Amino acid sequence: MSKDEAHLAGLGYRQEFFRKLGLFENWAATFLSMNFISGIPVLFGFAMYTGGPQAAFSNWTMVGGFSFIVSLVMSEIAAAFPTAGGIYFWSYRLGGERWGPFLSWMTAWWNWAGWVCVVPGVQQGSTNFLLSALEIRYPDAAVLSQGWFSWLLTSVGMIFAVLPNVISQRILQLYFRFAIFIFFALFALYWIWFPIKASGNFQSREGVFNNFYNGINSGDEKQASDPYCWVVGVLFGAWVFYGYDASAHLAEETKDASSVVAKGMWMSTLSTWFLSVPTLIIVLFCIQDFDGIVSASYSNNWAEYLVQLVGENGAIGILSLLWVDSTCATAACFLSAQRVTFAISRDGVLPFSRYFRRLNRNKVPVNAALLVFGLSICITCAVIGSTVAFSAITATATIATNFSYLIPIAARYTVGRKTFHPAAWSLGRYSLPLGIIAGLYIMFLFVVLLLPQLYPVSMETLNYAPICIGIVTVVSTVGWIFPFGLGGRYWFTGPKRTIDEIDGSLKK
């Protein structure tokens, strides 16, 4: 066995994937999941009416910094336990014999639910780019405002996101390179073309850093205060800065995984933060008509920003590229959802797990991909009859994934503090203070993202994320208590195996 295979066997698993990926693919998995080039435009309109440029810049910078701390804490754990779908496995090992099975079960369900919601959320954001381009070109086309048409476009885009994840690992490597190329092509447009077009008509310093706008009160009276509006706007950055575990989900396909996975996590988060902050500043200084952006009626208000800045043809071109780029981001998120589905099925968490853990001859979990694809299509159906479904999907995905991170982080410094042995990559004496900061930040996000985002609160403006989170809580809890096929405490012992159980040819 290689060093990686021996480490994996010691953790209780047999090498099943081809292990040919390196630092680039591991870094790209998380970097593309975050993808700020598409992430900034997706919720740009939301950021403008939940605090305006001032709050958008502050929230983005703050969230990026705290997210980097979370990525460091998770990297330390990932270096010690480099397994696919690693979050739930971390919880098992850190929880010990007493708490491990329960913590592992809960982490698996929350992490899986989060990633399954991420995929349709990102692709729906991608569809809004395409719809906006069509609305610019065909302003009188009534079909563009129909929910079923939006669902259809999202479903078609989802197919393109699935393909690189079901063919072969070689195709996946080529996809990563293509996606990074598209990303930096748009990055260059933001940095070069935008300032050129805005030349002579930039926003003033006061117009960016002192321009606060409270647009979440749609009634006759002001029910939500300015500080409340500012806090709600945290979703703008939180929707992009998460998914650190994408690197961990490729652990069993990565060479020298113990160190490479950790580097992929924190390097991708740090590079996203450092590159995105000045990009956001450029975008904010290039705003031409703030009131026009806030009051725009496109599927994504970013379209109005582009029309003002580069004209209709330029806006259509950039929106089309953003659709491609965001679909690539969906594929990266799909990869994580697929690998998590495979991993938790390997340990019997899902019903019919024996089907979803199977690999084809190219060592690809196709059945897991089909399950994620089917669920994503079903979740996207919500946009047919609801105007707030998109924000609910994004908030649910952000809450669920971040909460799944909190469980192993908390276990690392409580029940697992004496049994955890850091790998070669560790935080040393800074581990505990950084872990406390990471835990408090995630708890802050959990509360904030459940708050109403528009007032007065009605069936049309209600934040449905609490209902979605309640469903995840009930399903995971009931599945643990009652043995009706979901698993649970009656037979689920967690991912615990001996080497003999993995492969009879390997002796302990």
Side-chain angles (χ1 to χ4, degrees):
M1 290 188 294
S2 67
K3 176 183 176 181
D4 288 309
E5 290 173 331
H7 192 173
L8 184 61
L11 295 176
Y13 294 103
R14 175 169 54 90
Q15 182 69 44
E16 296 183 76
F17 291 100
F18 291 129
R19 193 180 286 272
K20 297 181 180 180
L21 304 182
L23 179 59
F24 172 78
E25 289 83 10
N26 209 269
W27 165 82
T30 298
F31 188 78
L32 291 172
S33 296
M34 294 181 175
N35 197 339
F36 66 86
I37 285 296
S38 297
I40 291 175
V42 163
L43 292 181
F44 187 75
F46 173 84
M48 292 303 99
Y49 71 77
T50 56
Q54 183 184 33
F57 169 75
S58 301
N59 282 337
W60 187 280
T61 306
M62 177 198 70
V63 169
F66 282 119
S67 297
F68 176 56
I69 293 175
V70 175
S71 72
L72 288 174
V73 175
M74 292 182 64
S75 295
E76 183 181 48
I77 305 175
F81 307 126
T83 63
I87 306 297
Y88 82 104
F89 180 79
W90 303 351
S91 295
Y92 178 78
R93 291 297 293 264
L94 294 169
E97 293 185 3
R98 181 177 180 183
W99 294 103
F102 174 73
L103 295 180
S104 178
W105 175 268
M106 289 300 174
T107 305
W109 275 98
W110 281 87
N111 192 246
W112 182 71
W115 276 111
V116 167
C117 288
V118 168
V119 173
V122 175
Q123 191 56 45
Q124 183 59 48
S126 178
T127 296
N128 289 341
F129 291 138
L130 187 57
L131 282 173
S132 298
L134 293 172
E135 288 164 356
I136 295 172
R137 179 63 69 190
Y138 308 103
D140 299 324
V143 70
L144 299 179
S145 62
Q146 300 298 312
W148 66 265
F149 187 70
S150 175
W151 173 84
L152 180 62
L153 290 181
T154 301
S155 300
V156 172
M158 204 88 69
I159 295 174
F160 290 106
V162 171
L163 290 177
N165 291 293
V166 297
I167 301 176
S168 69
Q169 192 182 77
R170 177 57 181 165
I171 296 299
L172 191 63
Q173 289 177 300
L174 294 174
Y175 149 74
F176 278 135
R177 285 156 176 76
F178 171 76
I180 291 296
F181 172 79
I182 294 295
F183 175 92
F184 281 104
L186 283 164
F187 183 80
L189 289 177
Y190 284 26
W191 278 66
I192 299 173
W193 198 23
F194 284 13
I196 291 175
K197 298 297 290 187
S199 180
N201 194 31
F202 289 109
Q203 290 287 323
S204 65
R205 181 183 178 87
E206 290 72 21
V208 173
F209 298 115
N210 294 326
N211 183 7
F212 181 85
Y213 178 78
N214 184 343
I216 65 174
N217 295 281
S218 57
D220 297 330
E221 58 180 289
K222 186 176 181 179
Q223 294 179 262
S225 65
D226 290 350
Y228 180 90
C229 177
W230 191 304
V231 170
V232 168
V234 165
L235 177 61
F236 176 53
W239 167 239
V240 172
F241 285 100
Y242 71 103
Y244 328 94
D245 52 324
S247 296
H249 301 321
L250 286 176
E252 293 180 29
E253 301 164 69
T254 302
K255 293 176 287 187
D256 195 17
S258 184
S259 62
V260 169
V261 169
K263 292 177 182 177
M265 274 190 179
W266 70 262
M267 287 175 62
S268 56
T269 309
L270 182 62
S271 56
T272 296
W273 186 31
F274 275 9
L275 292 175
S276 65
V277 171
T279 302
L280 178 60
I281 292 175
I282 291 174
V283 167
L284 295 177
F285 270 98
C286 290
I287 291 176
Q288 302 297 293
D289 180 7
F290 175 78
D291 294 333
I293 294 172
V294 172
S295 60
S297 58
Y298 292 110
S299 295
N300 188 315
N301 289 27
W302 179 252
E304 177 65 25
Y305 173 93
L306 293 175
V307 169
Q308 295 175 9
L309 187 60
V310 299
E312 291 189 354
N313 290 333
I316 292 173
I318 292 178
L319 287 169
S320 300
L321 280 176
L322 281 170
W323 178 80
V324 176
D325 179 69
S326 191
T327 300
C328 288
T330 303
C333 296
F334 191 96
L335 180 148
S336 290
Q338 176 191 21
R339 296 307 194 270
V340 171
T341 303
F342 160 81
I344 64 177
S345 297
R346 183 168 57 180
D347 287 305
V349 174
L350 295 178
F352 310 106
S353 288
R354 65 181 182 276
Y355 297 107
F356 302 128
R357 63 145 297 163
R358 290 178 180 173
L359 302 180
N360 67 4
R361 61 186 181 87
N362 290 325
K363 303 298 182 181
V364 175
V366 174
N367 291 348
L370 294 176
L371 176 62
V372 174
F373 177 74
L375 290 173
S376 298
I377 296 298
C378 293
I379 293 172
T380 309
C381 289
V383 303
I384 296 178
S386 174
T387 58
V388 296
F390 175 63
S391 62
I393 294 172
T394 57
T396 301
T398 307
I399 294 169
T401 49
N402 274 284
F403 186 76
S404 71
Y405 305 153
L406 179 61
I407 298 174
I409 289 176
R412 157 73 175 89
Y413 301 102
T414 53
V415 293
R417 68 186 185 282
K418 294 181 180 180
T419 58
F420 178 75
H421 300 290
W425 196 97
S426 68
L427 297 175
R429 61 180 179 177
Y430 300 105
S431 180
L432 179 58
L434 291 178
I436 294 173
I437 294 173
L440 292 175
Y441 165 69
I442 293 175
M443 288 188 286
F444 166 75
L445 282 185
F446 187 91
V447 174
V448 168
L449 298 181
L450 294 175
L451 298 174
Q453 299 171 352
L454 285 173
Y455 283 88
V457 178
S458 64
M459 292 302 295
E460 294 182 354
T461 62
L462 178 66
N463 180 4
Y464 286 90
I467 297 176
C468 298
I469 292 300
I471 294 173
V472 177
T473 304
V474 171
V475 170
S476 59
T477 303
V478 171
W480 175 256
I481 296 174
F482 298 103
F484 54 82
L486 288 179
R489 64 189 178 94
Y490 290 93
W491 63 270
F492 177 72
T493 58
K496 182 179 181 180
R497 292 180 175 83
T498 65
I499 295 181
D500 289 338
E501 290 173 322
I502 298 171
D503 189 335
S505 65
L506 299 177
K507 299 304 180 183
K508 191 172 181 179

